[in-house]
Amino acid sequence: MFRVPLLVALSLVIAFGGGIVFTLLALDATSGFGAIKLGAWQAFPEMQTADADPYAKSHRARAGRLLYGTAEGLVFTASDDDGGARLTANCTYRISGQTPPARLWTLFIAGNDGRPIEDGAGRPSTINSWVVLRKPDSTFNITVSSSAQAGNWLALPPSGNFRLVWTLLDSPAASNSGLIDLGMPKLEKIGCGNV
């Protein structure tokens, strides 16, 4: 007597539950389509436009973050160094070169979820174009390490993997024509452990 309703209820639970689980897995697997990759840095120029793909729109809705218009900003992330190795807190990295032209840029250390990591000890985990120390030719070096460094330094968390998030604000690079000859700074691993 209860066999058929029980099987129908079980089928619905499996169908809806499985659909929700697979949707969440698909959203975590990709940030969308149309990525550009420049060395270690990756960006999705259309992610914040009306032409964005469904995955990008879902990421925006799920994260609840303020997004920039097409000409306002472009966000690059790096999860790996230029050699293709995953960024990890027990290594030291050097970011060197120049950024594309922008009125302002910011760089911060983020967790795997893309949210900024705060040290709590007052160590710098973010830097911007107004405070970065530059060489006479306007290039710069930023050291990303768990131990303090002279010059431009970003402090890493004690352990685990991390991402670097570089946001170019009010940049011609954010328009489609600006993506043609875009160049991003190098992200090199200097050493790991006590090296």
Side-chain angles (χ1 to χ4, degrees):
M1 178 165 137
F2 293 112
R3 184 175 176 206
V4 172
L6 180 64
L7 290 176
V8 169
L10 183 62
S11 299
L12 289 174
V13 166
I14 291 172
F16 286 115
I20 290 170
V21 167
F22 285 120
T23 301
L24 293 175
L25 289 174
L27 285 176
D28 289 339
T30 181
S31 294
F33 303 106
I36 58 168
K37 189 152 177 73
L38 302 167
W41 305 98
Q42 182 176 19
F44 296 89
E46 292 186 2
M47 180 181 265
Q48 301 161 25
T49 67
D51 299 332
D53 62 90
Y55 287 103
K57 290 178 182 179
S58 297
H59 276 278
R60 285 194 314 212
R62 190 171 179 201
R65 294 190 183 132
L66 177 66
L67 298 172
Y68 311 109
T70 306
E72 291 176 343
L74 186 59
V75 178
F76 286 90
T77 59
S79 299
D80 304 324
D81 61 22
D82 282 341
R86 185 80 174 99
L87 297 178
T88 180
N90 66 343
C91 293
T92 300
Y93 301 91
R94 178 186 306 120
I95 302 169
S96 59
Q98 290 183 329
T99 61
R103 187 172 301 237
L104 173 71
W105 57 257
T106 62
L107 172 65
F108 67 87
I109 296 174
N112 289 326
D113 59 357
R115 296 176 190 234
I117 295 177
E118 292 298 328
D119 186 318
R123 300 177 343 146
S125 60
T126 185
I127 195 166
N128 63 53
S129 59
W130 289 356
V131 298
V132 70
L133 301 173
R134 298 180 187 272
K135 297 178 184 175
D137 63 353
S138 80
T139 61
F140 55 81
N141 288 326
I142 301 171
T143 305
V144 182
S145 173
S146 57
S147 59
Q149 304 288 322
N152 299 315
W153 169 57
L154 292 178
L156 288 175
S159 63
N161 294 330
F162 66 94
R163 289 182 185 179
L164 292 168
V165 179
W166 205 310
T167 306
L168 304 173
L169 298 165
D170 196 13
S171 170
S175 68
N176 287 338
S177 62
L179 296 174
I180 295 170
D181 53 352
L182 196 60
M184 289 294 288
K186 294 179 183 176
L187 175 55
E188 303 167 299
K189 184 188 299 184
I190 299 172
C192 293
N194 294 326
V195 177

